[in-house]
Amino acid sequence: MDLSIVIPVHDDVRIERCVKSIDENVEVVIALNRPTEEVTGIVKRLGVKSVDVQEQNLGMCYNAGMDASASELVLFMDSDCVFEPGAIAKMYVGKQANPHALVRGEVVFQQNSLQSRITKSARQVTTTNVPYAFIPPLLLDKEVFQRIGDGYRFAEDVRWCVDYEFELRRTKADVPLVRLTDARIFHDPISIRSDLRSAFKYGTGKRIRYERTGERVNFLEVLKEPILRGFREAGPVTGLYLVLWKSVLYAGYYSEKYGLNTTRR
């Protein structure tokens, strides 16, 4: 199969489980994102290709992984997820049938506590059930950046919400997206603390993009749409949690705006 799978990793020892879930003969490229010694040892033991990225930056990881990959088709995955058997083949076949489209699989969030049940429900509203080119899992051809035509690949300035930034550009360029709900990956349970930490980082990335592009944002609409869907699709607990989640996201946004953000360091 002429396909490369790119997986960024910093300190997540689950990278071994992720790689071992790959059930096709494909090239695997690990983007070592200032890795710990333990992760470095695991990747060496796995015997897969790796590339060093000197800054904790997902855009840099994605771009470096693509540069190191030999295939024209690249599937982006996360280290805290595993492939369901057959998922890679389904995405590959989907791409062959839709050569000018991006192909996105289905993320199934797992739960093992009340906290992860809440975050799973919220992520289903904001991530799983939206027609966006989110990572993971996303399969693209490298020429898609030429079709988008704005002069760069994955943004390296926003650092954290790289796939959302890419989604905005994909939509503007009218690049089609094919969603395959039967090509599934499984995401480990997410605690509320971890989820809110991610929300803050996403907010800083949003602010960086808006500073660069000068886009005008209707924050009421940005806040309202997922929160209302949370109440409507998943009930009051999820809706209220999304109010909190969006509040933390915009705390990150304004901390970046006023120079209070310390996540760069």
Side-chain angles (χ1 to χ4, degrees), residues 223-237:
L223 284 167
K224 183 176 69 174
E225 192 272 336
I227 291 171
L228 289 180
R229 283 200 300 111
F231 278 102
R232 185 171 60 249
E233 297 176 13
V237 173

Side-chain angles (χ1 to χ4, degrees), residues 72-108:
E72 171 62 21
L73 300 181
V74 181
L75 195 167
F76 293 94
M77 182 60 162
D78 280 1
S79 60
D80 56 1
C81 302
V82 295
F83 290 101
E84 182 176 63
I88 297 169
K90 290 174 182 176
M91 293 185 70
Y92 185 80
V93 170
K95 179 62 174 170
Q96 298 301 307
N98 301 275
H100 297 294
L102 306 179
V103 176
R104 178 188 165 198
E106 182 89 350
V107 186
V108 179

Side-chain angles (χ1 to χ4, degrees), residues 52-71:
D52 290 321
V53 180
Q54 296 304 313
E55 183 179 332
Q56 282 188 258
N57 181 309
L58 284 176
M60 289 183 179
C61 286
Y62 296 152
N63 290 334
M66 283 194 296
D67 288 341
S69 65
S71 299

Side-chain angles (χ1 to χ4, degrees), residues 25-234:
N25 183 19
V26 298
E27 178 186 56
V28 178
V29 181
I30 308 298
L32 292 169
N33 196 195
R34 295 180 65 184
T36 60
E37 289 186 10
E38 185 176 12
V39 164
T40 300
I42 290 171
V43 172
K44 286 182 178 179
R45 186 170 67 250
L46 289 169
V48 296
K49 183 184 291 187
S50 64
V51 58
D52 290 321
V53 180
Q54 296 304 313
E55 183 179 332
Q56 282 188 258
N57 181 309
L58 284 176
M60 289 183 179
C61 286
Y62 296 152
N63 290 334
M66 283 194 296
D67 288 341
S69 65
S71 299
E72 171 62 21
L73 300 181
V74 181
L75 195 167
F76 293 94
M77 182 60 162
D78 280 1
S79 60
D80 56 1
C81 302
V82 295
F83 290 101
E84 182 176 63
I88 297 169
K90 290 174 182 176
M91 293 185 70
Y92 185 80
V93 170
K95 179 62 174 170
Q96 298 301 307
N98 301 275
H100 297 294
L102 306 179
V103 176
R104 178 188 165 198
E106 182 89 350
V107 186
V108 179
F109 291 94
Q110 307 285 69
Q111 65 182 53
N112 60 5
S113 66
L114 177 59
Q115 284 195 33
S116 59
R117 180 180 178 182
I118 293 170
T119 58
K120 172 185 177 178
S121 181
R123 290 291 185 112
Q124 285 175 329
V125 172
T126 62
T127 304
T128 303
N129 298 335
V130 292
Y132 298 161
F134 283 163
I135 298 172
L138 184 70
L139 196 162
L140 56 76
D141 59 284
K142 293 176 181 176
E143 291 185 357
V144 70
F145 300 100
Q146 296 179 20
R147 298 197 295 278
I148 292 174
D150 53 12
Y152 65 103
R153 297 181 299 172
F154 286 108
E156 297 184 357
D157 57 347
V158 299
R159 297 189 310 278
W160 301 114
C161 60
V162 176
D163 54 354
Y164 179 73
E165 198 272 351
F166 176 68
E167 164 61 19
L168 295 175
R169 295 158 56 210
R170 176 199 73 84
T171 303
K172 183 177 180 181
D174 200 26
V175 174
L177 174 69
V178 173
R179 293 181 62 199
L180 300 178
T181 58
D182 62 341
R184 304 196 305 171
I185 66 169
F186 297 98
H187 193 298
D188 269 2
I190 305 172
S191 69
I192 288 177
R193 179 179 180 183
S194 175
D195 199 36
L196 295 180
R197 187 184 302 119
S198 295
F200 187 90
K201 290 178 178 179
Y202 297 158
T204 67
K206 279 180 176 288
R207 178 60 196 177
I208 292 168
R209 174 177 166 81
Y210 293 148
E211 288 175 350
R212 167 160 52 81
T213 64
E215 295 168 333
R216 292 184 177 274
V217 183
N218 184 330
F219 288 116
L220 181 60
E221 290 301 317
V222 171
L223 284 167
K224 183 176 69 174
E225 192 272 336
I227 291 171
L228 289 180
R229 283 200 300 111
F231 278 102
R232 185 171 60 249
E233 297 176 13

